[in-house]
Amino acid sequence: MTSDLTIDVIPSERPRSAEDRAALLKEPGFGQVFTDHMVTARYVEGRGWHDARLTAYQPLTLDPATSVLHYGQAIFEGLKAYHQPDGAVALFRPDQNAARFQRSARRMAMAEVPESLFLDSLTALVRQDRDWVPTKPGESLYLRPLEFAVDAFLGVRPAKEYLFLLFASPAANYFPGGVRPVSVWLSTEYTRAAPGGTGAAKCAGNYAASLVAQAQAAEQGCDQVVWLDAVEHKYVEEMGGMNLYFVFSDGRLVTPALTGTLLPGVTRDSILAIGRDMGLDTVEGRVTTDEWEAAAADGSLTEVFACGTAAVVTPVGAVKHAHGSFNIADAQPGALTMKVRESLLGIQQGTAPDSHGWMHRVA
Ligand code: COI
């Protein structure tokens, strides 16, 4: 689907000063600081997408009957722009986010944002706010596209009007404390996604539904929840909002297969390619919780890590479940985990060759 919409640029009359920006960029953390601009576009059934504009970052005004507030037609994406050694700014695989955004829209019976509008919005915002792209290693400008239903109507049906929004947030580490192994709680009480459900869509409701399980993981003294399949409660699916990888001593790098209940992560997909580049035997398969514990005990499972856009690659050190707990090797970040992390960051930060053509220079 294409669009020849042009984005009207109406810059903020009160952008932050260079000093204010520098102070905010000092320790941005994750998701707390927002740049000076945003992009919006509107969709109305019968008219299509229109009124695409880049404006000052500003609050929204919503009618109390706005349907997303009631019935939750809301999807989002997350991707990053990286400062490059030559001063350029490049996006990592934005076409993958555009495609997933369309798949999420289809699943939620929402209007699809044309790929060209999605990509043009990213380019326009990064160009406008390029001074907000952090330059320290490991830092980036996190981009958050989202779309939601804006009909003021209480009937339950797919909305006829949608708002597309894009804004940006300078980002350092997702998890406080930087790269350290996380502990995980295997949840058998709650499930993230069931067959036929919305697990493969990046919709807001999936994240809302995850929070009680994440709170339970915290009560158990763990950092993150690990989701199991909804039918048998034995196959490992994801960790919180991230995909998982298992490293075996025989050279296998295994990630749970995309059964329809998992979110198809862009980082997950990239690591399959990086693993192949490293000569590993990459496998999209199924891992049960019993296999996980047995392989950790006999030493054939050497490392486990989680991956996602926000936190990139995060080692998993310890596992707790209703009947006990165990460590993965010495519970320290594994050598391969850190090598995969560095390989990916090297490509993203422009210090390693982009042999897959993943980086899109936009500013
Ligand atoms: C990611 O790993 O990027 C995520 O999806 C987490 C995000 C919702 C903050």
Side-chain angles (χ1 to χ4, degrees):
M1 199 191 291
T2 58
S3 138
D4 43 22
L5 261 192
T6 48
I7 299 169
D8 284 343
V9 177
I10 309 153
S12 169
E13 287 171 9
R14 289 185 293 119
R16 256 80 47 100
S17 66
E19 298 76 55
D20 286 354
R21 194 172 56 239
L24 289 166
L25 284 174
K26 218 168 199 158
E27 275 183 47
F30 181 86
Q32 303 164 55
V33 175
F34 307 104
T35 68
D36 289 318
H37 296 91
M38 65 186 199
V39 176
T40 53
R42 296 196 167 267
Y43 176 92
V44 175
E45 196 176 271
R47 186 174 171 197
W49 289 99
H50 59 280
D51 281 357
R53 48 180 75 123
L54 181 150
T55 63
Y57 182 90
Q58 59 195 280
L60 306 172
T61 304
L62 296 177
D63 189 289
T66 301
S67 79
V68 67
L69 303 175
H70 304 266
Y71 309 129
Q73 273 185 296
I75 57 172
F76 71 96
E77 274 300 324
L79 70 161
K80 287 174 168 176
Y82 291 87
H83 172 82
Q84 302 295 293
D86 64 359
V89 180
L91 299 171
F92 181 70
R93 308 191 74 185
D95 49 306
Q96 296 295 308
N97 298 91
R100 188 172 62 187
F101 202 50
Q102 292 188 338
R103 293 197 303 271
S104 297
R106 284 200 290 277
R107 177 60 184 86
M108 304 305 286
M110 296 168 68
E112 290 173 43
V113 171
E115 182 184 48
S116 55
L117 173 58
F118 187 93
L119 298 177
D120 291 352
S121 301
L122 292 167
T123 302
L125 185 61
V126 172
R127 285 195 181 146
Q128 187 69 36
D129 282 340
R130 67 168 297 146
D131 292 344
W132 286 91
V133 180
T135 54
K136 291 202 275 295
E139 296 188 351
S140 59
L141 186 66
Y142 182 80
L143 294 151
R144 171 53 63 90
L146 68 153
E147 181 189 345
F148 54 89
V150 293
D151 296 23
F153 175 61
L154 293 183
V156 180
R157 54 130 169 88
K160 297 174 190 291
E161 299 185 22
Y162 296 93
L163 180 66
F164 169 64
L165 253 164
L166 168 70
F167 62 95
S169 175
N173 286 317
Y174 183 73
F175 292 120
V179 187
R180 58 170 187 86
V182 294
S183 56
V184 298
W185 167 249
L186 304 186
S187 180
T188 41
E189 185 175 352
Y190 298 107
T191 48
R192 176 184 170 277
T198 59
K202 205 160 175 75
C203 60
N206 286 348
Y207 294 79
S210 77
L211 300 175
V212 67
Q214 178 57 35
Q216 192 176 60
E219 273 165 32
Q220 293 291 334
C222 295
D223 298 305
Q224 289 286 315
V225 61
V226 161
W227 302 107
L228 307 179
D229 76 283
V231 179
E232 296 180 70
H233 295 291
K234 68 177 194 188
Y235 295 105
V236 178
E237 298 215 319
E238 298 184 36
M239 181 192 92
M242 302 173 76
N243 295 116
L244 279 167
Y245 269 94
F246 297 80
V247 182
F248 290 91
S249 55
D250 61 6
R252 276 179 305 134
L253 179 63
V254 180
T255 192
L258 301 177
T259 54
T261 54
L262 279 76
L263 203 272
V266 178
T267 312
R268 172 192 180 280
D269 182 72
S270 307
I271 290 172
L272 281 173
I274 287 174
R276 282 193 294 270
D277 293 347
M278 288 176 172
L280 296 166
D281 176 15
T282 55
V283 181
E284 293 179 86
R286 302 201 93 179
V287 177
T288 67
T289 51
D290 286 347
E291 283 162 5
W292 188 351
E293 184 155 14
D298 70 22
S300 57
L301 176 73
T302 53
E303 304 177 28
V304 178
F305 62 86
C307 65
T309 296
V312 191
V313 167
T314 297
V316 175
V319 181
K320 189 172 175 192
H321 53 73
H323 310 290
S325 61
F326 60 96
N327 284 350
I328 293 123
D330 58 1
Q332 292 307 304
L336 189 88
T337 299
M338 297 314 281
K339 196 172 154 196
V340 167
R341 183 182 162 87
E342 291 314 314
S343 300
L344 194 53
L345 280 171
I347 296 169
Q348 292 169 335
Q349 295 176 152
T351 56
D354 177 22
S355 56
H356 297 280
W358 285 339
M359 302 307 292
H360 290 237
R361 291 160 78 94
V362 290

